[in-house]
Amino acid sequence: MSARNLVVIGVSTGGPMTLKALFRELPALDAAFIVVLHITPQMDYRIAQGLDAVASMPVALAEDQEFLQSGRVYLAPGGFHLRLDGNQRVVLCEGPRINYVQPAADVAMLSLTRQLKGKLVGIILTGMGKDGAAGIRHIKEIGGITMAQDQQSSTIYGMPKAAAETGAVDFVLPPNKIAAKLREILDPL
């Protein structure tokens, strides 16, 4: 089933534990989840496996030209930037690091277009630096719902703080409350 609803998550330092905490709380939802974690190609498969073990939706590395399906989690592979073509198809590309990282959340988020149907959600979780701040602003501008992790629950409050400082974040919450908000916004599968 192709995805009408899309959730894009940017995360860095402390990411694997935070993602596990988030996905452990989520039932299978009617959305495709894109996770952009700052990781190396050596670690990406292992992290996808670890998430898959706790999530109620299948988790795998995103593949080039793959069409997004609802109820699935796609982890951006290390060493590539991930863009979305028409909010529906994965495009993996090389190129310079953005915000000192590859994959960068901003690249994925800035590739999104306004949805005519369905919901668009952008989330920035724990991490160093400001990756995702421009992306969150863009998602808000095209009618999406935006969230950032709160300071208390963040391993490093860099990325969520930069996102919140844009003034474009709707909700600042810990991971369990982000999960609750996603369950409120999205239908179960």
Side-chain angles (χ1 to χ4, degrees):
M1 177 167 64
S2 70
R4 271 182 340 158
N5 302 314
L6 183 57
V7 179
V8 182
I9 300 172
V11 59
S12 189
T13 316
M17 296 305 290
T18 305
L19 288 167
K20 281 182 179 176
L22 176 68
F23 281 105
R24 206 177 271 128
E25 300 274 326
L26 290 176
L29 293 171
D30 183 12
F33 287 78
I34 298 280
V35 177
V36 182
L37 171 64
H38 301 159
I39 41 174
T40 62
Q42 297 77 25
M43 292 297 295
D44 56 7
Y45 180 71
R46 190 175 301 138
I47 289 170
Q49 278 186 311
L51 271 181
D52 187 59
V54 300
S56 59
M57 296 175 274
V59 180
L61 291 179
E63 293 182 26
D64 192 43
Q65 303 304 314
E66 180 175 24
F67 281 94
L68 299 180
Q69 294 187 323
S70 235
R72 300 186 77 87
V73 181
Y74 301 86
L75 182 66
F80 292 93
H81 288 303
L82 182 152
R83 288 190 170 87
L84 289 165
D85 183 15
N87 293 7
Q88 284 293 314
R89 193 174 64 183
V90 172
V91 179
L92 297 179
C93 42
E94 292 179 354
R97 290 168 171 253
I98 307 284
N99 301 320
Y100 309 104
V101 294
Q102 186 179 32
D106 274 342
V107 172
M109 290 178 165
L110 291 170
S111 74
L112 299 171
T113 54
R114 183 179 291 276
Q115 303 241 108
L116 299 175
K117 286 194 179 100
K119 296 182 178 90
L120 192 55
V121 182
I123 302 172
I124 298 296
L125 300 173
T126 180
M128 215 179 292
K130 65 179 179 55
D131 186 35
I136 279 290
R137 187 184 293 119
H138 173 71
I139 288 172
K140 187 73 190 148
E141 284 168 0
I142 62 172
I145 299 163
T146 55
M147 302 183 212
Q149 189 171 351
D150 68 348
Q151 185 168 357
Q152 292 79 356
S153 68
S154 293
T155 307
I156 296 189
Y157 191 58
M159 285 166 50
K161 180 175 190 249
E165 285 174 350
T166 65
V169 172
D170 297 315
F171 305 100
V172 177
L173 303 163
N176 63 328
K177 296 267 176 34
I178 290 174
K181 188 56 72 178
L182 286 168
R183 290 194 306 265
E184 215 176 276
I185 295 168
L186 302 163
D187 294 324
L189 271 182

